[in-house]
Amino acid sequence: MVSSDTIRTAIGIIGNGTALVLFLSPVPTFWRIWKKKSVEQYSPIPYVATLLNCLMWVLYGLPVVHPNSMLVITINGTGTAIELTYITLFLLYSAGPTRRKVLLLLAGEVLFVGAVAALVLNLAHTTNRRSMIVGLLCVLFGTGMYAAPLSVMKMVIQTKSVEYMPLFLSLASLVNGICWTAYALIKFDLYITIPNGLGVLFAVAQLVLYAIYYKSTQQILEARKRKGDQVAMTEVVVDGKPPANTTTTNGAAANGHH
C-alpha cells in the first residue's frame, strides 16, 4: 500500500514541474520585449509580485522555519532566479517612471524579506510559531501573486482585447494551482492550500475572459494591420516612390504587399 507521504511527495514533484512551467511561461512575452527593445504595455506587477512570493516561500521552507519542505525550497529558489531575470529585462527595456517604480519595488521586497527573516528567527523560538508567522505572510503574498493579473484582466475588459494577457501564463497558473492544492490537502497545510486554491479560481477567471474576448482581439489586430497598410500606402504616394508591384488606376496607388 502506497503511503500518503509517498503520494504527497510525488504530487510535490509534479507540482515542481508545473510551477517551473508557470515560471517559464512568460518567456514568449520577454522574447517579444527583447526583439522590440520595448516593454510596450506589459505590466511589471505580475513578475514583481511573483518574486516576492518566491522569496517568502523559500523562507517558509527553510528547516529552521518549516522542516521537511525541500520541495518548496527547490521550486521557489528556481523561481526567484527566473523572476530576477525577467525583471532585469524589464528594467533594460523600460524607461522613466516605469523603471523607477520597478527599482523601488525590488528594493522594498529585498528589505522586507530580510527584515521578516531577522525578526522571525530571533523573536520566534519554535518552528511551529515561525511556520505560522511566515505561513500567514505567504498566504498574503501568494494570493497577491495569483491576483496580480487582475490589473491585466481589468485592461482586457476595458479594451476587449487579450493581446497583453498571455494564454500560457493563465494555463500554467491553473495547472500549478491544482497540483499544489492537492499537495497541501493530502497532509493538510493551510498556508499552501489557501493561496493555491484561490489561484485556481483566478486562473479560471482569466481563461473565461480569454474565451470571451479572443474573437474581438483578432478583429482589433486585423483592423490595426489594415490601418498600418493604409498608412504605408499613403507614405508611398506622398513620397512618389511606388514599389515595383504597385499598380496605378485613375491616379490611385494600391500596394500589393502586406
Side-chain angles (χ1 to χ4, degrees), residues 168-184:
F168 290 143
L169 190 58
S170 300
L171 287 171
S173 293
L174 177 62
V175 176
N176 183 66
I178 290 171
C179 282
W180 284 104
T181 300
Y183 173 87

Side-chain angles (χ1 to χ4, degrees), residues 18-230:
T18 58
L20 183 60
V21 172
L22 173 64
F23 291 137
L24 293 176
S25 60
V27 166
T29 296
F30 282 90
W31 177 253
R32 172 172 171 165
I33 287 173
W34 182 78
K35 284 176 63 179
K36 296 197 170 209
K37 312 299 182 190
S38 169
V39 296
E40 300 181 286
Q41 295 184 52
Y42 289 110
S43 171
I45 299 302
Y47 311 105
V48 174
T50 303
L51 175 62
L52 178 57
N53 179 69
C54 287
L55 289 170
M56 290 304 302
W57 281 112
V58 168
L59 179 59
Y60 178 82
L62 292 176
V64 292
V65 176
H66 193 76
N68 304 314
S69 300
M70 186 53 65
L71 289 172
V72 174
I73 294 177
T74 54
I75 190 56
N76 286 286
T78 303
T80 296
I82 293 171
E83 297 305 321
L84 282 172
T85 302
Y86 294 152
I87 292 170
T88 299
L89 285 171
F90 213 98
L91 288 170
L92 284 174
Y93 297 118
S94 61
T98 301
R99 179 178 290 175
R100 286 195 295 273
K101 178 182 179 182
V102 175
L103 283 172
L104 285 172
L105 288 171
L106 187 59
E109 287 184 359
V110 172
L111 289 172
F112 175 78
V113 175
V116 170
L119 289 171
V120 167
L121 295 177
N122 284 288
L123 299 179
H125 302 297
T126 66
T127 54
N128 283 340
R129 182 62 60 85
R130 291 170 179 172
S131 294
M132 181 185 72
I133 296 170
V134 179
L136 287 172
L137 289 172
C138 284
V139 167
L140 178 63
F141 297 123
T143 301
M145 182 192 76
Y146 284 120
L150 286 174
S151 60
V152 181
M153 291 167 67
K154 179 182 178 183
M155 185 174 73
V156 167
I157 294 170
Q158 291 174 336
T159 62
K160 295 181 170 54
S161 171
V162 295
E163 181 180 3
Y164 294 102
M165 187 177 75
L167 176 61
F168 290 143
L169 190 58
S170 300
L171 287 171
S173 293
L174 177 62
V175 176
N176 183 66
I178 290 171
C179 282
W180 284 104
T181 300
Y183 173 87
L185 289 174
I186 291 174
K187 187 176 179 181
F188 190 65
D189 187 324
L190 180 65
Y191 309 121
I192 296 178
T193 301
I194 293 175
N196 286 287
L198 289 173
V200 172
L201 295 178
F202 286 131
V204 168
Q206 291 170 50
L207 292 174
V208 168
L209 280 180
Y210 202 94
I212 292 172
Y213 293 114
Y214 177 79
K215 186 175 290 187
S216 62
T217 301
Q218 299 308 305
Q219 293 169 348
I220 290 169
L221 293 174
E222 184 60 32
R224 187 186 302 163
K225 182 175 181 296
R226 286 199 301 269
K227 185 177 180 180
D229 289 345
Q230 289 171 358

